[in-house]
Amino acid sequence: MKKWIVFTLLLLLFGSTGTSEIHAKKNSEDIKGNLVIAGGALGSTNRDVYQKFIDLAGGTEQAKIGIIPAASGSLKSSYAFKKDLLSYGVMESSVEILPVSSHDFSGTEEDESSWKKNSESRELAEKIEGMTGIWFVGGDQLKITDALLKKNGKNSKTLDAIWKIYRDGAVLGGTSAGAAIMSDVMITGGDSLGGFNQEFTNKERSNSSGEYAPVYIEKGLGFFQWGIVDQHFDERARLGRLAATAIKSKPRDLAYGVDENTAMIVNNQMQTIEVTGRSGVAVLDVTAAKRIGKRIKNVDISYMSAGDKLHAKTREFTFKNDKAETKGYEYYNFKPLPATGVLSSYGSLKHYLSYSLVDNASTNKAESYLYNSAGEGFKLIFEKGEDTNGYWGYEDGQKDSYSLLHVKMSVEPVTVSFEKSPELFKKSYQSSSFTAEEEGVEAVNKGSLVIAGGALGSSNQEVYEAFISRAGEKPKIGIVPAASSSLKSSYAFKSDLEHYGVPADNIDILKIASLDFKGTPEDESLWKNNKNDPELADQIKNYDAIWFVGGDQTNISAALLNGDGSRSLVLQSIWDIYHDGAVLGGTSAGAAIMSDVMLAGGGSYDTLASGFTETYDSMTQQEGGPGYLEKGLGFFPHGIIDQHFDKKARLGRLIATAAAHGKQDEFSYGIDEDTALVLDNDTGKITAVGRGGVSVIDLSQAEKQKDTPSLYKNIRLSWMKSGDVLDLETKEFTIREGKLSTKDYEYYDFEAAPHSGVLSPHGSLGNFISYSLADNSAEDEVKSYSFSEGKGFELTFRKGSQTKGFWGYKDGSKDDYSFVGVELNIEPVTVKIR
């Protein structure tokens, strides 16, 4: 695009009259059509989003849908979206990939750059006028506007036809780049650090190879009437760039950040915005925000999730009616650490604000940071106000779903510096005094384990089928409710099993508990003696599978172990059927009990810094504090298990525990939420299944000295995703077929800033290492820091001679990474913030 065109478009955007805004607002009430704006990485299995788009297009019988491929570098994503539409019942004759592009596609014989002239084709315009829906695939949003706008910035005939059917009632949709073009202010480049630095550019390409990039804004197509849209919002941590853009260009409008695999549905006639999909939509209000230099104050952040609505004109939120308000009824009561890196619990923006601030009675303020490798950046302060509220419920089984209202954010420039201090925590560190006898597994064991990391979605077919298929045809299954405080999760799991084909009469909720449950007339604490009931022990021998629900893992061990730590009769029966071929499974607490050493409490930062404790104060210790260990049930004899690994950032506590109690030749395993580790004893292999990953910790070559208990060198870290296999005997990984090696074929080439908090892109442990290191040719090491009150840790992740990365697609166009043999050092540091 020529510079004079860019200058003209920027005048349209930022001129005092706001021409494009006036045009859009003037016609807003005349639009009968709707929008489906998806934040990117839309999964083929995301039925809610696909179904909404199809329904708004007239349903499977009436829909006539055109796909615009212009943003992509190939036609692959367009064919994939067409295939998805057909899988949801749309007739093949009703879906057409439209010849709209201004560049050539890879993998085709035709030169699609010749399609540029089609934008003025009357024949194509007439074809579009017969359609009920248009979908824009992802890629580069500039390629969409280049294909549909004339050089003078005016609409082409094709774009006018799209506007015509939109005004007449058609639905327009798009994902990623196809979402970015929806507003008249189109963010087409840059990141949060560039936004907070108040750096904007009018160049066609912002600097993508540096640690941060200035925000690049162009003119979008303006279909969305109610503000600015940004996409890949939470995964790529774009709060800073969206807030800065809104303050600069449209401070009177709301701004919307759409998460991946999520969509906002815009009904122009009702003037509502509704969320559907698997994450959320951030809504920023900057009307009261103030910017003084690089300081920003009073940005108002709300977060909608599936089922929530916003009335765009009145700005009134309506939250899903099965959600409960958290204000005055907060579930959590812990002091949150600043969100400073990969060791921060609930490290994504939405989760950190939900768990650590809004649903937490102990604090009114939480902090995070964002800075480059020189330590130059910003402190983020999130605060509750009088109108702050939270709304909590369950979604997709037992997964927490939060919505937030009116969290206030301020941003202050800071410089952060670190100095290595190997003996920093020497005096305060308490070594573990825990001892546990190993249960071991007999030489011939026919059973299997399905160990889920928590928050298991009812729709997670992979995990449920892994459990049920190993139980055999028409299996008899027993559910152990002991970990929970009620029977609700047990009934929910039973319902899920029935959904996947297990007859209801074949499923029993077993009378195994040590505490009374809420909401029942019976006193379940009387069940504590059932552990040695001969009748119940005999009953157990009839089951093909046993499942342990989540809650507090110490309640399971109390319900099944005798006072001296020996097996009760019931536990021995469970061992007997496991040995003979039964499958045992569990989620959350039901995963923690699987190894001999059971992690029952503690946070990553506190365990690395302070070591271990012999006291336990129940569920409040799940969110932090020194590590607390108890004897587990020992079904998994190949290392220590930890769960909720990604969301609760438990890398540090697992490493410290493995260093204290792991065997030299064993790995340790951190299982993400909505994911399971599957062990088949007859093959001696582990398989990962589900939506997250399994982190594998190898300390066999690690260096650790007694006089510096918080310092670790040469840890090896691997990340298994669905379909990946580990052979326990050979210690070799087999990566799922179809994934490509990234080594020497890295996709990315950029300087990676340290992981510094909730606004670090690809913030989960596995994704940060995958994008910033394993699939990035510019970096051989990346860093993250975790600190509080002037003390902390530097984590250095390195490529070594054995490091390998693997990439593929999963569930549509979602990146799916695995990696093996990343090296890790953890070193104490003192921290200065200016």
Side-chain angles (χ1 to χ4, degrees):
M1 186 176 289
K2 302 295 185 183
K3 289 185 177 179
W4 69 269
I5 299 175
V6 174
F7 180 73
T8 302
L9 297 180
L10 288 173
L11 283 178
L12 289 172
L13 283 175
F14 301 122
S16 59
T17 59
T19 305
S20 61
E21 180 182 359
I22 291 174
H23 174 78
K25 297 298 184 186
K26 180 180 178 181
N27 293 284
S28 61
E29 295 180 1
D30 298 332
I31 298 174
K32 297 176 183 177
N34 303 284
L35 299 173
V36 176
I37 305 176
L42 180 61
S44 299
T45 62
N46 196 328
R47 174 176 291 274
D48 290 343
V49 175
Y50 279 93
Q51 200 63 59
K52 196 68 178 179
F53 180 72
I54 293 167
D55 289 346
L56 292 172
T60 56
E61 299 297 322
Q62 302 297 323
K64 187 73 175 175
I65 297 169
I67 300 172
I68 293 184
S72 184
S74 74
L75 288 174
K76 184 176 179 181
S77 55
S78 297
Y79 283 120
F81 188 74
K82 179 176 180 177
K83 182 180 178 181
D84 289 341
L85 291 176
L86 302 185
S87 74
Y88 286 102
V90 181
M91 294 180 290
E92 185 168 9
S93 60
S94 298
V95 185
E96 183 173 353
I97 298 172
L98 301 175
V100 177
S101 178
S102 60
H103 66 280
D104 189 25
F105 292 138
S106 63
T108 62
E109 294 182 3
E110 185 177 358
D111 181 359
E112 289 83 6
S113 63
S114 65
W115 289 359
K116 173 62 178 176
K117 64 180 182 294
N118 292 346
S119 65
E120 292 300 319
S121 165
R122 187 178 301 277
E123 181 181 356
L124 179 59
E126 289 176 353
K127 178 179 290 188
I128 288 171
E129 287 176 7
M131 291 180 167
T132 61
I134 299 290
W135 185 267
F136 298 86
V137 301
D140 182 346
Q141 46 264 51
L142 285 172
K143 292 178 179 177
I144 301 176
T145 53
D146 189 42
L148 289 173
L149 291 172
K150 297 179 181 179
K151 288 184 178 181
N152 60 6
K154 293 185 177 180
N155 292 358
S156 64
K157 283 186 173 66
T158 298
L159 183 54
D160 277 337
I162 295 171
W163 266 103
K164 182 179 185 301
I165 64 171
Y166 177 43
R167 287 195 177 95
D168 290 344
V171 59
L172 309 183
T175 184
S176 188
I181 53 96
M182 291 291 178
S183 50
D184 55 299
V185 174
M186 181 176 75
I187 305 175
T188 195
D191 53 33
S192 284
L193 198 50
F196 285 146
N197 276 314
Q198 305 298 324
E199 294 184 22
F200 294 85
T201 181
N202 60 357
K203 294 181 180 179
E204 187 169 348
R205 293 280 186 237
S206 52
N207 181 14
S208 60
S209 63
E211 287 189 39
Y212 75 93
V215 180
Y216 178 27
I217 303 172
E218 280 272 11
K219 175 180 170 60
L221 301 186
F223 301 123
F224 180 63
Q225 307 290 295
W226 307 103
I228 303 171
V229 171
D230 206 351
Q231 18 76 47
H232 296 282
F233 189 73
D234 205 15
E235 174 63 29
R236 299 187 188 178
R238 286 173 166 172
L239 172 65
R241 84 171 194 178
L242 180 58
T245 302
I247 292 170
K248 180 179 178 66
S249 61
K250 281 197 167 186
R252 295 189 302 273
D253 284 352
L254 298 179
Y256 302 82
V258 189
D259 290 348
E260 291 186 352
N261 216 7
T262 306
M264 60 182 201
I265 313 302
V266 182
N267 186 315
N268 286 296
Q269 292 291 288
M270 300 295 292
Q271 299 182 335
T272 58
I273 297 165
E274 183 176 2
V275 177
T276 189
R278 294 187 177 146
S279 189
V281 173
V283 183
L284 308 188
D285 185 349
V286 300
T287 53
K290 295 182 180 179
R291 186 182 67 202
I292 304 171
K294 290 186 177 181
R295 286 181 168 82
I296 298 175
K297 291 186 177 182
N298 209 32
V299 174
D300 183 283
I301 304 171
S302 298
Y303 229 115
M304 303 163 64
S305 49
D308 298 341
K309 281 186 180 182
L310 169 66
H311 193 285
K313 200 167 187 177
T314 65
R315 300 190 176 184
E316 295 176 357
F317 291 86
T318 303
F319 296 104
K320 197 175 178 183
N321 58 16
D322 62 353
K323 285 189 173 180
E325 290 189 37
T326 63
K327 191 171 186 177
Y329 304 94
E330 290 85 356
Y331 180 80
Y332 295 98
N333 191 7
F334 67 95
K335 181 182 178 182
L337 292 169
T340 55
V342 296
L343 298 188
S344 294
S345 292
Y346 314 115
S348 70
L349 175 67
K350 181 184 177 185
H351 290 154
Y352 187 70
L353 296 182
S354 299
Y355 292 93
S356 297
L357 181 63
V358 176
D359 200 15
N360 187 354
S362 71
T363 186
N364 290 313
K365 183 170 71 172
E367 299 173 351
S368 186
Y369 292 83
L370 180 66
Y371 47 81
N372 61 20
S373 59
E376 299 168 347
F378 299 88
K379 178 180 180 180
L380 286 63
I381 304 166
F382 302 100
E383 295 181 276
K384 294 177 184 174
E386 291 184 4
D387 53 352
T388 303
N389 206 343
Y391 300 84
W392 169 88
Y394 280 128
E395 66 176 357
D396 190 18
Q398 299 175 49
K399 300 169 72 173
D400 289 332
S401 174
Y402 278 100
S403 304
L404 310 175
L405 204 58
H406 305 311
V407 171
K408 303 300 187 290
M409 180 184 74
S410 298
V411 181
E412 299 177 357
V414 295
T415 301
V416 186
S417 60
F418 305 96
E419 183 177 347
K420 293 183 179 179
S421 306
E423 298 186 0
L424 182 63
F425 298 105
K426 180 178 179 180
K427 293 182 180 179
S428 61
Y429 192 91
Q430 296 295 317
S431 298
S432 172
S433 59
F434 170 77
T435 57
E437 295 181 11
E438 296 177 18
E439 292 292 343
V441 176
E442 291 81 351
V444 178
N445 188 323
K446 301 176 184 176
S448 300
L449 297 175
V450 176
I451 309 174
L456 179 60
S458 298
S459 65
N460 196 328
Q461 186 172 343
E462 262 192 296
V463 174
Y464 280 94
E465 287 189 349
F467 180 67
I468 295 168
S469 65
R470 284 167 172 79
E473 192 173 345
K474 295 184 179 179
K476 190 164 179 61
I477 299 174
I479 300 172
V480 177
S484 185
S485 59
S486 76
L487 289 174
K488 184 176 180 181
S489 55
S490 298
Y491 283 120
F493 188 73
K494 180 179 180 180
S495 176
D496 289 340
L497 292 176
E498 292 173 28
H499 171 76
Y500 286 103
V502 181
D505 291 342
N506 286 21
I507 308 167
D508 295 323
I509 297 174
L510 303 173
K511 292 187 175 183
I512 299 174
S514 59
L515 300 173
D516 188 25
F517 293 148
K518 295 181 293 187
T520 63
E522 185 173 0
D523 182 358
E524 288 82 7
S525 66
L526 299 177
W527 293 357
K528 60 187 176 184
N529 295 322
N530 290 353
K531 69 176 75 172
N532 285 307
D533 179 2
E535 289 188 13
L536 182 57
D538 285 341
Q539 179 184 337
I540 295 292
K541 293 178 180 179
N542 296 318
Y543 291 107
D544 303 295
I546 299 290
W547 184 267
F548 298 87
V549 301
D552 184 337
Q553 46 264 52
T554 64
N555 292 338
I556 302 177
S557 55
L560 285 172
L561 290 173
N562 293 320
D564 62 359
S566 63
R567 296 177 187 172
S568 64
L569 292 178
V570 168
L571 180 55
Q572 184 59 55
S573 290
I574 295 173
W575 268 97
D576 289 343
I577 64 171
Y578 175 43
H579 177 266
D580 290 340
V583 56
L584 309 183
T587 183
S588 186
I593 53 96
M594 291 290 178
S595 48
D596 292 309
V597 178
M598 182 175 77
L599 273 156
S604 278
Y605 176 85
D606 292 322
T607 305
L608 286 172
S610 303
F612 298 86
T613 180
E614 296 181 12
T615 61
Y616 181 61
D617 60 358
S618 190
M619 293 301 290
T620 58
Q621 206 161 325
Q622 299 298 308
E623 311 308 322
Y628 176 72
L629 309 177
E630 280 198 8
K631 175 182 171 62
L633 302 188
F635 301 122
F636 183 80
H638 304 290
I640 300 170
I641 295 285
D642 208 349
Q643 19 77 49
H644 296 281
F645 199 70
D646 55 348
K647 185 180 283 187
K648 296 193 178 183
R650 286 173 165 169
L651 174 68
R653 83 170 193 177
L654 181 56
I655 287 172
T657 302
H661 296 287
K663 291 182 179 179
Q664 180 69 18
D665 60 343
E666 286 181 349
F667 295 158
S668 295
Y669 305 87
I671 308 172
D672 292 348
E673 292 188 350
D674 216 10
T675 307
L677 177 158
V678 179
L679 167 66
D680 291 306
N681 282 297
D682 58 347
T683 65
K685 294 181 178 179
I686 286 172
T687 306
V689 298
R691 293 178 177 141
V694 176
S695 295
V696 183
I697 313 299
D698 177 8
L699 298 183
S700 63
Q701 303 174 62
E703 302 172 21
K704 189 176 184 299
Q705 300 176 359
K706 291 183 179 179
D707 58 344
T708 53
S710 301
L711 185 149
Y712 300 83
K713 291 188 176 181
N714 296 326
I715 298 167
R716 299 294 189 273
L717 177 63
S718 301
W719 196 39
M720 300 171 64
K721 296 295 289 299
S722 180
D724 297 342
V725 177
L726 169 63
D727 187 308
L728 290 167
E729 183 176 351
T730 65
K731 300 295 192 293
E732 293 181 357
F733 292 88
T734 302
I735 303 303
R736 176 175 59 85
E737 187 177 357
K739 282 191 174 180
L740 304 175
S741 173
T742 63
K743 192 170 185 178
D744 299 326
Y745 299 95
E746 291 86 356
Y747 181 80
Y748 296 100
D749 182 19
F750 69 97
E751 297 175 25
H755 190 306
S756 54
V758 296
L759 293 194
S760 290
H762 313 296
S764 70
L765 174 68
N767 282 342
F768 176 67
I769 295 173
S770 297
Y771 287 93
S772 298
L773 181 65
D775 200 15
N776 183 8
S777 61
E779 295 287 11
D780 291 321
E781 68 175 38
V782 294
K783 294 183 182 292
S784 178
Y785 295 89
S786 180
F787 56 86
S788 178
E789 298 179 348
K791 299 178 180 180
F793 297 94
E794 177 186 80
L795 284 74
T796 304
F797 301 94
R798 297 189 308 272
K799 291 176 182 173
S801 59
Q802 303 301 312
T803 303
K804 298 177 182 178
F806 303 89
W807 170 88
Y809 278 132
K810 184 185 179 185
D811 189 18
S813 58
K814 299 170 71 173
D815 288 331
D816 183 34
Y817 281 102
S818 306
F819 58 78
V820 173
V822 168
E823 298 176 359
L824 167 63
N825 289 356
I826 302 176
E827 302 182 66
V829 293
T830 55
V831 186
K832 293 182 180 179
I833 301 173
R834 300 190 302 278

